[in-house]
Amino acid sequence: MKKMTDISKLLEINQLGDERGLLTVIEEKTTIPFEIKRIFYIHGTMPNVRRGFHAHYKTRQALICVSGSCKVYLDNTKRKTDVVLDSPIKILILEPNDWHEMYDFSPNCVLLVLASHLYDAEDYIRDYEKFIEVYGS
Ligand code: T46
């Protein structure tokens, strides 16, 4: 597993495979730096739709585009950046303090998300001013 570009949280995992096709493995602790409590995937999102618009109090997440591509805008109050997820071997680790917005979904995009906590609506910070209040220095 290696870090890609200057974005420390964008990882590239090993791709296995042979003449039958490719195989990519994700393991708790080895690949993902947290215990995985929940898995969900986002699919069927139209290209002109932007979603997310929140940070979390405690949930850490790993985003993998297992099919197609999308982009993720990140803001941790100190740095803003855009990440392209266009390969099933790229994993974007999101920390609770990463405000994130997903956009530019390709028609075949399946965005797999591994999360450190069970779903809790109270764990979301959906108001940007509140986000700055909680995480800004
Ligand atoms: C995130 C990004 C990457 C549930 O009931 N259980 C769940 O586990 C999830 C993830 C969602 N929901 C409900 C809550 C909403 O009524 O599903 C609906 C859509 O969720 P949301 O509007 O939060 O979807 P996104 O794409 O804005 O955000 C999701 C995750 O919620 C979020 O944690 O970081 O994907």
Side-chain angles (χ1 to χ4, degrees):
M1 183 173 57
K2 67 180 183 195
K3 285 182 182 176
M4 299 178 67
T5 71
D6 63 333
I7 303 157
S8 60
K9 295 173 190 170
L10 187 60
L11 311 174
E12 188 178 282
I13 49 177
N14 290 335
Q15 183 171 270
L16 307 176
D18 52 31
E19 65 284 352
R20 297 168 299 170
L22 304 172
L23 190 153
T24 304
V25 185
I26 295 172
E27 289 182 333
E28 194 178 271
K29 298 223 171 79
T30 324
T31 325
I32 306 295
F34 53 80
E35 196 181 325
I36 300 160
K37 292 260 179 62
R38 180 168 51 110
I39 298 172
F40 62 94
Y41 39 95
I42 293 167
H43 50 116
T45 295
M46 300 301 287
N48 58 342
V49 169
R50 201 170 174 104
R51 55 191 301 166
F53 295 94
H54 62 259
H56 290 275
Y57 286 105
K58 59 186 181 191
T59 300
R60 301 178 77 191
Q61 297 182 109
L63 274 56
I64 308 123
C65 246
V66 291
S67 170
S69 64
C70 71
K71 293 177 184 154
V72 186
Y73 167 76
L74 297 172
D75 173 357
N76 67 1
T77 76
K78 293 172 185 64
R79 185 157 171 250
K80 298 175 171 62
T81 189
D82 290 89
V83 175
V84 181
L85 292 178
D86 57 0
S87 159
I89 63 168
K90 285 186 186 175
I91 301 190
L92 179 64
I93 306 294
L94 293 186
E95 299 299 338
N97 67 333
D98 285 319
W99 178 274
H100 52 283
E101 300 170 18
M102 298 84 76
Y103 64 102
D104 264 7
F105 288 83
S106 67
N108 59 340
C109 180
V110 180
L111 179 61
L112 178 69
V113 183
L114 314 177
S116 64
H117 289 75
L118 299 180
Y119 178 71
D120 175 7
E122 298 296 311
D123 186 53
Y124 286 67
I125 306 174
R126 294 191 182 273
D127 178 73
Y128 189 78
E129 286 185 9
K130 177 74 178 169
F131 164 69
I132 295 296
E133 187 186 312
V134 172
Y135 288 117
S137 46

